[in-house]
Amino acid sequence: MMRNLKYLTIGLLFGIILVKSEVISWFRIQEMFRLQAFNMYGIIGSAIVVGAICILIIKRFQLKTISGEAIIIPKKEFHWGNVYGGLIFGLGWAITGACPGPLFAQIGSGFLITIVTLISAIAGTWVYGLLRDKLHH
């Protein structure tokens, strides 16, 4: 139990950051999709830049995990399925005003209707799991 306390703490801090930065705001998300505000693009762009820098550092210095294992970042091939999946994901994000990260922060902030979105996301993941072997990868 105590071992998982650090994950709970990080999750709570992440949720607070999501709420304070208004990333979970349906109105902010709608502004983004209507190209009316820069807030969300700035946050997403910053995350991409930080992630890219971290990957470069991991590769350049051949960093290892805390337990000493090598971090292996496999090469990715282009698949049209990623484009279709991204379009479906973006459409769902635009309609519901929520993506998987902020779902729990929205529920925790009292937007209980988001539970419908959470259940739908879980159902979509479950259906993908059923169909995965039949899909082209």
Side-chain angles (χ1 to χ4, degrees):
M1 182 71 175
M2 290 301 290
R3 186 173 151 222
N4 292 328
L5 188 60
K6 61 184 170 187
Y7 300 113
L8 177 64
T9 304
I10 290 170
L12 286 172
L13 289 173
F14 183 62
I16 291 169
I17 290 169
L18 291 175
V19 171
K20 293 297 183 181
S21 65
E22 297 183 358
V23 172
I24 68 163
S25 169
W26 184 87
F27 297 105
R28 288 287 184 194
I29 293 167
Q30 291 303 306
E31 285 177 337
M32 176 186 71
F33 282 107
R34 292 180 182 161
L35 304 173
Q36 295 173 335
F38 180 76
N39 183 37
M40 294 292 287
Y41 292 110
I43 292 169
I44 293 168
S46 298
I48 291 170
V49 169
V50 169
I53 291 169
C54 289
I55 288 174
L56 287 172
I57 291 170
I58 289 169
K59 286 182 174 182
R60 171 156 291 169
F61 297 105
Q62 298 176 350
L63 298 180
K64 298 185 184 310
T65 65
I66 293 174
S67 59
E69 299 172 12
I71 298 174
I72 300 169
I73 302 172
K75 300 230 184 264
K76 304 288 183 182
E77 291 184 29
F78 175 80
H79 294 285
W80 278 102
N82 293 340
V83 175
Y84 301 137
L87 289 170
I88 293 168
F89 178 86
L91 182 62
W93 190 11
I95 290 171
T96 63
C99 70
L103 273 178
F104 297 101
Q106 286 176 326
I107 294 168
S109 294
F111 303 109
L112 298 182
I113 191 65
T114 309
I115 293 172
V116 174
T117 307
L118 176 62
I119 291 169
S120 299
I122 292 169
T125 304
W126 181 75
V127 168
Y128 173 76
L130 286 177
L131 300 176
R132 187 176 195 283
D133 294 336
K134 296 176 176 100
L135 298 172
H136 177 69
H137 288 93

